Amino acid sequence: MSTPYPFTAIVGQDDLRLGLLLNAVSPAVGGVLVRGEKGTAKSTAVRALAALMPEVSVVPGCRFSCDPVSPDPACPDGPHAEAAGVSRAARTVELPVGASEDRLVGALDIERALSEGVKAFEPGLLADAHRGILYVDEVNLLHDHLVDLLLDAAAMGASYVEREGVSVRHAARFLLVGTMNPEEGELRPQLLDRFGLTVEVAASRDTDERVEVVRRRLAYDDDPEGFAARWAGEESALRERIAAARALLPRVVLGDGVLRQIAATCAAFEVDGMRADIVMARTATALAAWAGREEVTADDVRQAALLALPHRRRRNPFDAPGLDEDKLDQTLDEAGPQENNDGDDQPDPDPDGGGDDDDDGGGGGVPPQTDGDRTPPRGESGDTPSQAPEGSTDAPGRSTGAEQQPVASAEPFRTKMLSVPGLGEGAAGRRSRARTEHGRTTGARRPQGALTKLHLAATVRAAAPHQRARGRSGRGLVVRRDDLRQATREGREGNLVLFVVDASGSMAARQRMSAVKGAVLSLLLDAYQRRDKVGLVTFRGKEAEVALPPTSSVDAAASRLESLPTGGRTPLAAGLLKAHDVLRVERLRDPSRRPLLVVVTDGRATGGPEPVALAGRAGRLHRSEGTASVVVDCESGYVRLGLAGELARELGGTAVTLDELRADSIAGLVKDVTAAGRAA
């Protein structure tokens, strides 16, 4: 077994270390989510934490780590007779992003269950993590069905495995730690809320600190055991401090005054539900125990809010996490104990809602925060759209050549669902129909590899004709492996949604471009909710460019869209050909993920010889490869040329207007994007 990097040797990252240590003191805090760029010691710190955790006493031979003092009465290895427990180190169990459901929750031997009637169960990672740490690296990339299982286990403290009437339950209480890079996509809100705390990490910009990071890492790589030995004293001291804080924790007093501050803070920041209040109370108590105090203070409440609330305030993936610290200080002051109850000597509240500039928050490292309590609504801008002259940009065949500054987008809205026709086999998601491991049962087949979803009726039908030949004499059914049938299921998949956005002069009118950006942001939000990958190609002037290669980070796409300038000619063909290149590469990288091409344009094409004909040939190229497509028609004004509709016919897809894109419009029901071959 390799020697882990010492926790105390990590340079900086005070917030990360504090969040992990608070969970070591009080596992009831509920885990921690570590958000940050790559290469910031996220995984190193989590793996190093296990060496600091107190040992656990387990029932000898129990695969589910039952506590000998109070064993689980429903343990599959039980019932356990009274016996002395054995101590072992707390485990850190890593859940791979690509793990199967059976690897996570365990698997039943279906053949033995049917033929012998016994519950032969092989434990999974949830059983291994019981009373330890469950670590999920890149947790935002975890498949939805695994997320659902984690949510169930975290909520109930137990894991249930059911296969056609055969059920196994075992305890699964663990410290959930996840790491993620926000550039690769956001986390589902349901799982995000399950993490008690969140911390933001970033690489230091201090030269001396960076030098020390490199020096220590090189020393560790050269001699891991020797490096760990040099830090053994600090590790031992920290381990003892954790044990002392755990012993002190039951004696910490959480007074009514601080409880009122906690409740007032959660109400002021409009967090959903009551979990935030409970997590803040537990975190503040752990902070007091960590500091060696028996009473929670206002500073503990403030620090707990900075750790427990930022990720619970996000309403959509375009909102930046963080808290307005001035508002936090004001709320704590207003909800705190007052020295004079008659109100005569009370100072007037700060009209700006400001707090004490000299208050550093206390209680240990404070996560990086963003200024402001809210994200400005889309479309907020210092300029009034009507003040910007549109000139002749909307006139047929004419466009301005000068580049205009980016305009703010209109408010996003709920869109109709655009789906890829046919039946795919891509990554689990919520957009297009696909053959999946989860969903409604549509048939049965012989298993290819390990059996995961038994089709009981088909298995019985396959085994029934052979019972006499197999010498069946009792009531049980004699089942062989060849009789087993795998259920085929239909669910939903995530797609690659590639946006091709016209940023030319014909789209440069401020009102129109604001509406276009609002529509694309709405589609991006829809893609986030449906677990799609997204990419962004823009075209204007003389060429097209890939503004964002395909990624799971819709907020990155939104950021690129917001800064998109407009102006110049309309090289529509170049945009379509650039999109073709992107899709060709993505088909090689991920052949099972089907693409959906969304072209946002008024359909005009200018520049070069025969630009309209060239755009038509580029559209037919996509059509010949069966790429599902939709054209969002942005044409406005009294004179309409219908060019976007012509482009949609060349692509073999569907054209929708901006109004028709809204889910609440009266234009029709859900728009299914047609594939190549659709008649005009």
Side-chain angles (χ1 to χ4, degrees):
M1 181 177 180
S2 60
T3 303
Y5 192 92
F7 190 88
T8 51
I10 296 173
V11 179
Q13 305 296 13
D14 295 337
D15 309 324
L16 169 59
R17 291 187 291 159
L18 178 63
L20 293 173
L21 289 171
L22 291 177
N23 276 275
V25 171
S26 176
V29 166
V32 59
L33 174 65
V34 186
R35 296 165 46 93
E37 59 196 32
K38 52 188 176 293
T40 49
K42 300 188 298 291
S43 300
T44 299
V46 175
R47 296 186 177 105
L49 178 66
L52 302 175
M53 298 286 286
E55 292 188 339
V56 295
S57 179
V58 299
V59 173
C62 178
R63 297 174 297 167
F64 301 88
S65 302
C66 279
D67 187 345
V69 177
S70 57
D72 181 5
C75 177
D77 284 354
H80 297 298
E82 292 186 8
V86 295
S87 295
R88 63 162 175 79
R91 293 172 178 161
T92 296
V93 177
E94 296 192 29
L95 172 61
V97 170
S100 66
E101 178 182 338
D102 287 344
R103 183 71 186 98
L104 178 62
V105 301
L108 290 169
D109 189 330
I110 301 297
E111 186 176 359
R112 290 189 63 192
L114 288 175
S115 60
E116 303 176 27
V118 298
K119 297 180 181 179
F121 180 69
E122 184 65 28
L125 295 177
L126 290 180
D128 293 341
H130 179 48
R131 304 176 66 197
I133 301 171
L134 181 62
Y135 170 47
V136 189
D137 194 14
E138 307 293 352
V139 64
N140 51 321
L141 304 182
L142 201 63
H143 289 172
D144 277 1
H145 68 285
L146 297 183
V147 170
D148 293 336
L149 294 170
L150 274 181
L151 289 174
D152 291 341
M156 298 182 293
S159 174
Y160 291 84
V161 184
E162 298 187 10
R163 294 289 190 275
E164 305 295 345
V166 181
S167 177
V168 172
R169 172 209 170 277
H170 66 83
R173 293 182 296 275
F174 46 81
L175 169 58
L176 180 61
V177 181
T179 59
M180 60 174 284
N181 184 348
E183 293 179 356
E184 297 174 341
E186 286 295 337
L187 200 58
R188 274 179 57 181
Q190 295 92 333
L191 184 56
L192 189 65
D193 188 52
R194 288 295 178 185
F195 287 97
L197 312 179
T198 183
V199 295
E200 300 278 342
V201 296
S204 172
R205 298 299 182 257
D206 181 80
T207 302
D208 293 337
E209 194 167 287
R210 294 175 73 97
V211 168
E212 186 61 23
V213 170
V214 175
R215 181 181 292 117
R216 293 186 186 183
R217 187 69 208 190
L218 293 177
Y220 170 78
D221 291 341
D222 290 340
D223 182 12
E225 293 183 1
F227 183 82
R230 291 196 292 274
W231 290 90
E234 287 83 350
E235 291 282 288
S236 178
L238 187 57
R239 194 178 298 109
E240 291 175 1
R241 184 178 177 185
I242 292 173
R246 278 196 168 194
L248 178 63
L249 188 66
R251 304 198 302 273
V252 175
V253 177
L254 188 69
D256 290 342
V258 294
L259 273 176
R260 180 170 293 276
Q261 286 182 314
I262 290 171
T265 301
C266 292
F269 286 101
E270 299 180 347
V271 297
D272 295 331
M274 294 297 298
R275 182 174 285 115
D277 303 62
I278 297 171
V279 171
M280 273 189 65
R282 290 171 173 166
T283 305
T285 304
L287 281 163
W290 180 246
R293 289 183 272 102
E294 293 188 3
E295 185 174 356
V296 177
T297 67
D299 285 341
D300 296 329
V301 175
R302 186 182 193 277
Q303 180 67 75
L306 293 173
L307 292 170
L309 296 188
H311 61 301
R312 292 185 165 88
R313 295 191 57 256
R314 302 192 74 186
R315 293 296 183 263
N316 64 63
F318 310 134
D319 291 338
L323 294 181
D324 182 343
E325 295 193 43
D326 288 341
K327 180 179 179 179
L328 173 60
D329 291 333
Q330 180 182 3
T331 302
L332 293 174
D333 289 342
E334 292 175 351
Q338 302 295 324
E339 295 182 1
N340 190 338
N341 292 328
D342 59 14
D344 294 338
D345 299 326
Q346 294 299 323
D348 292 334
D350 186 346
D352 296 327
D356 183 2
D357 292 337
D358 296 327
D359 183 11
D360 62 4
V366 178
Q369 304 298 320
T370 58
D371 292 331
D373 177 46
R374 68 179 184 94
T375 301
R378 299 287 171 186
E380 249 186 36
S381 174
D383 297 328
T384 303
S386 60
Q387 293 174 344
E390 296 185 13
S392 60
T393 54
D394 283 346
R398 296 169 60 188
S399 64
T400 60
E403 178 180 307
Q404 296 189 14
Q405 293 300 315
V407 299
S409 70
E411 282 285 346
F413 52 84
R414 190 167 62 91
T415 67
K416 287 185 171 67
M417 187 179 76
L418 307 174
S419 60
V420 178
L423 196 62
E425 295 182 342
R430 296 196 179 102
R431 184 172 297 278
S432 305
R433 294 173 54 220
R435 285 182 287 268
T436 61
E437 289 294 322
H438 302 269
R440 63 184 183 89
T441 301
T442 58
R445 59 175 174 80
R446 291 181 180 273
Q448 300 172 351
L451 178 70
T452 55
K453 297 290 183 182
L454 177 73
H455 194 297
L456 182 58
T459 299
V460 172
R461 286 196 299 268
H466 308 291
Q467 295 305 295
R468 180 173 297 179
R470 293 173 182 173
R472 173 185 170 186
S473 57
R475 298 178 60 185
L477 188 69
V478 181
V479 179
R480 303 280 172 81
R481 181 161 295 277
D482 289 344
D483 301 327
L484 300 179
R485 294 295 182 268
Q486 173 86 23
T488 57
R489 303 190 176 216
E490 182 177 311
R492 293 281 174 177
E493 68 176 0
N495 297 110
L496 166 59
V497 182
L498 182 61
F499 294 93
V500 181
V501 179
D502 185 348
S504 65
S506 68
M507 302 283 288
R510 294 184 66 86
Q511 288 179 313
R512 185 196 295 192
M513 199 61 200
S514 177
V516 167
K517 287 187 175 183
V520 178
L521 282 172
S522 304
L523 291 167
L524 284 171
L525 181 58
D526 181 69
Y528 163 75
Q529 294 168 340
R530 300 189 187 282
R531 313 303 288 173
D532 295 318
K533 290 179 68 175
V534 296
L536 179 62
V537 172
T538 63
F539 59 93
R540 66 185 183 90
K542 297 181 179 180
E543 60 185 12
E545 66 172 350
V546 181
L548 183 72
T551 176
S552 297
S553 178
V554 295
D555 52 343
S559 176
R560 305 291 172 86
L561 183 71
E562 286 282 22
S563 60
L564 178 66
T566 57
R569 293 184 178 274
T570 311
L572 176 57
L576 295 174
L577 292 174
K578 181 67 71 173
H580 180 268
D581 292 341
V582 172
L583 294 180
R584 176 177 56 80
V585 173
E586 286 301 308
R587 285 190 179 99
L588 296 175
R589 290 177 176 172
D590 190 358
S592 64
R593 188 181 290 267
R594 297 187 295 164
L596 172 61
L597 184 68
V598 179
V599 185
V600 184
T601 181
D602 57 10
R604 294 169 180 163
T606 59
E610 299 183 346
V612 176
L614 186 58
R617 288 197 294 271
R620 290 191 294 274
L621 178 61
H622 284 281
R623 179 177 180 172
S624 67
E625 296 184 353
T627 302
S629 60
V630 60
V631 177
V632 180
D633 184 358
C634 303
E635 192 173 27
S636 62
Y638 293 107
V639 179
R640 294 175 179 263
L641 303 180
L643 297 176
E646 291 291 338
L647 176 62
R649 284 187 281 274
E650 296 287 9
L651 287 164
T654 301
V656 296
T657 65
L658 290 175
D659 289 337
E660 291 172 338
L661 193 61
R662 292 178 176 270
D664 55 357
S665 74
I666 60 174
L669 301 176
V670 172
K671 291 278 186 180
D672 285 329
V673 183
T674 56
R678 174 168 178 158

